[in-house]
Amino acid sequence: MRLDRLTWPEVEAYLDRADGILLPVGSTEQHGPNGPLGTDALCPEAVAAAAAERLGVLVAPTLALGVAPYHMAFPGTITLTPETFQAVMKETITSLARHGFAHVYVLNGHGGNIPFIRGVLKEMKSPRCRLHSWFAGPRVRALAKDLYGKAEGLHATPSEIALAWHVAPETRREDVAMTPERAPGGFEKEPDAFRARFPDGRIGSEAALARAEDGARLLEAAVEDVIEDYRAFTA
Ligand code: NI
């Protein structure tokens, strides 16, 4: 159930019997030549929606803008400063707490957000919060390793693109040629240096291996990871 599709009396009724909510957090940033800019938001949003359905819990609106300054040399990327990102997160969680949400489960899709989310959660005494990145759960990691091995890489990975393609079929770009097949590894903080070193935006990945069918399996694995972790969090 999506919070934004309910009326306030329906949310009030929900809060009479439950106090948990999933909060998807992502980023809008380049994901190589075949991945949509929304990959890091689409993925946690879809995982949250499917997990919430099975858990019978609410999902808050996705925070789709994150901290991604290093991707700014690629058109379309939008970044927030850490301060703004943390303020938005804090005020979102504080609003939810005001209504009685006592368990906020942050479902993240962008590695670069992690230290800043941690910083916010550490500061907040209540409500109880937990951070989970969909790509870091045990089932997802095992499946990604199985499907792609070392070709998974670090950015614009075949697994996140496969999942984005599965949940948003209009984003599929299945015949994009890439040279080299596997992008170089490493990292650059400064945007122009990043683009010079990683000209098509990928880091260490063979993004051409992405398949929407794999995305269906990754979604199921991610949902199972979240359900298990959410139950432990609220037990
Ligand atoms: Ni990503």
Side-chain angles (χ1 to χ4, degrees), residues 29-31 39-40 109-111 135 154-157 160:
E29 62 182 49
Q30 70 86 9
H31 269 76
T39 298
D40 287 355
H110 174 47
F135 48 78
L154 288 171
H155 182 68
T157 65
E160 63 181 341

Side-chain angles (χ1 to χ4, degrees), residues 33-65:
N34 67 345
L37 282 124
T39 298
D40 287 355
L42 289 166
C43 292
E45 183 169 80
V47 172
E53 215 49 61
R54 289 191 223 170
L55 287 163
V57 305
L58 276 183
V59 185
T62 302
L63 304 183
L65 303 181

